[in-house]
Structure formats: C-alpha cells, structure tokens
Amino acid sequence: MYKRPRIIPTLLIDNGMMVKTVKFQNPRYLGDVINAVRIFNRKGVDELCILDISATKKVSAPNLELLHDIATEAFMPLSYGGGICDMDHIKRLFRTGYEKVILNTCLVKKPNLIREAVKYAGSQSIVASIDVKTDIFGREICMIEDGHIKIRKTAVELARYAQELGVGEILLTSINDEGSMNGYNLKLVRRISDAVSIPVTANGGAGSLEDIKNVLTKGHADAAAGGSFFVFYGRKRAVLITVPEENKLVEMGIYDE
C-alpha cells in the first residue's frame, strides 16, 4: 500500500443534476453539483471524479458548459467520463481544466481513439473504465454503455487490453456493489490489480473506512473511489456531503502520519 493512497469521491450527473444510483439503476436526485464541489473544496479531497450517466446512455456529447462551471469552482484535480466519443471532446475537456478523461465504451468500440488520446495527452491522463456485473451463476461479465451492453472479454482480459492500448489507470466498478455501501468486491479488485502493472482505482461498495482500508490492503487497489460514502449519512441515507477526517484515516492505518 502506498503511504498516501488516493481516496476519491465520485459524483454522478444525470441531465445536469447530481444523482446517486444503486447497481447503476434508479438515480436519486441529490442536489446541485456545484455546491457539492464547493464543499469538497473546503474538505480538501485528493481528487474528484465526475461521471455523466445521461451522456453515456443517450450517446450525447459531454455537457461542456456544466463541466466548465465545475472546473472553475474546483480546487482539486478532476477526472471526467461520459459521452466522450472523439478527440475533439477529449481536447476540449483538457482545455476546460480536466486532468484525466475516463473512457468505457470506446475501450471496446474505438480502441484507436484510446491510442490517439494517449499519444495526445500521455498515459497518465487516460483512464480505462471497466464495469463488471456478476450474474446469478457467479459469472463476471464486463459491460459498456452504462451497464447495458455485455461484452465477451473477461475483466482481466479487458484490463490487460487497456494496458496494452496505453492507458495509465483503470477505474474498476463492481456494478452489483455500486451504491450498496456493503463493501467492495475484494476478489475482483485483487484479481485485476494483480493482473496489470498500472494503478487500479476500486469503485462500488464503499460504506466505511474499514471498507476503504480493506480494498487498499486486501484488494491491492492503488486508490479507493466511492459515491454513497461521500454523500449520505446514517441508515436512512440523509444527504450530507462528507469526507473522512485526516486523523481518522491515520488512526485506521490508511494514511501514514
């Protein structure tokens, strides 16, 4: 485990509104994304991940006006995924102030775009998003287009393929655990982390600091991302933008002093 692994809030955008899903379904409206960004500024998060699920589902271009407003407010590094389908989108996102772009469907349908993006921005700025769904028989199936389309590659095969294309990082999401707050899929995360030499950010299932510690140690992830953990509080899931305090992370052994 790195001395200071990244802990990354992931914010979902649906038609310009901040939402939270469970297993990629039933988006719940949470409020204004700009206000959330301002709160995360004050709390000093390491990085912020913005995913536009409506742009992905509708195959529409990124909402650059909203993304510009977010970038203007944000003091931390930003990554973005959703609706990216050509180099013009990628170039405009970098010009807007985003440090990383996240690509999911293009990984399968437009591998040459991945190569071109890596050549343009460098591996460190291109993230492959791998979404994995476990079926009733326990089989792991990789999905694209916001979890709607199955592909034949296994998660390990897709991760290695992404690395071969030149991406510098993998955002790995367990669809079954997304929004559950019941812990990460540690076996899946460890399998992917051990299969590639590039950093893996685990996403889907964070509900406690123990979950985050487990995915970094037992799951061998390089970073831990989450949604519900950063926007909900208590059993009734009241909306509250929150980030664990530094001293708590030190006490848990997640950060070194």
Side-chain angles (χ1 to χ4, degrees), residues 7 10 34 62 68 70 79 82 108-109 144 180 193 207 224 226 240 248:
I7 299 175
T10 298
I34 301 297
H68 175 269
I70 292 172
S79 58
V108 176
K109 293 190 172 184
I144 60 174
S180 71
S193 297
L240 177 66
K248 295 294 183 181

Side-chain angles (χ1 to χ4, degrees), residues 154-166:
T154 67
V156 167
E157 289 171 343
L158 191 56
R160 287 175 173 164
Y161 179 60
Q163 181 171 275
E164 289 171 4
L165 291 175

Side-chain angles (χ1 to χ4, degrees), residues 48-224:
L48 200 56
C49 175
I50 309 293
L51 299 175
D52 190 330
I53 59 175
S54 54
T56 299
K57 287 184 289 189
K58 296 177 181 178
V59 196
S60 58
N63 183 342
L64 290 168
E65 183 178 350
L66 174 62
L67 294 175
H68 175 269
D69 291 343
I70 292 172
T72 300
E73 291 290 341
F75 297 154
M76 74 291 287
L78 293 169
S79 58
Y80 171 81
I84 302 169
C85 62
D86 59 38
M87 277 304 300
D88 180 62
H89 292 159
I90 291 171
K91 291 177 180 179
R92 292 178 72 180
L93 283 163
F94 285 127
R95 287 198 296 266
T96 300
Y98 289 75
E99 296 201 354
K100 298 177 184 178
V101 295
I102 302 168
L103 300 164
N104 170 261
T105 301
C106 291
L107 189 62
V108 176
K109 293 190 172 184
K110 295 185 176 183
N112 285 336
L113 177 61
I114 305 288
R115 295 186 182 97
E116 190 177 355
V118 169
K119 186 177 180 180
Y120 172 77
S123 294
Q124 76 285 347
S125 297
I126 310 301
V127 180
S129 170
I130 297 178
D131 299 332
V132 182
K133 185 175 184 178
T134 305
D135 68 13
I136 59 174
F137 302 106
R139 296 175 299 197
E140 293 173 351
I141 303 166
C142 291
M143 312 289 289
I144 60 174
E145 296 186 15
D146 195 40
H148 286 84
I149 304 295
K150 301 177 183 179
I151 65 169
R152 292 185 177 182
K153 279 185 170 65
T154 67
V156 167
E157 289 171 343
L158 191 56
R160 287 175 173 164
Y161 179 60
Q163 181 171 275
E164 289 171 4
L165 291 175
V167 306
E169 184 178 338
I170 290 171
L171 175 64
L172 176 66
T173 302
S174 170
I175 294 175
N176 300 66
D177 299 291
E178 190 266 337
S180 71
M181 300 185 75
N182 290 326
Y184 295 90
N185 184 334
L186 296 179
K187 291 182 179 179
L188 171 65
V189 176
R190 184 168 58 247
R191 191 181 312 118
I192 302 306
S193 297
D194 292 348
V196 295
S197 59
I198 56 178
V200 173
T201 297
N203 185 45
S208 67
L209 288 179
E210 188 70 27
D211 292 335
I212 289 174
K213 181 178 181 179
N214 285 339
V215 83
L216 295 169
T217 54
K218 298 177 182 178
H220 301 172
D222 298 279

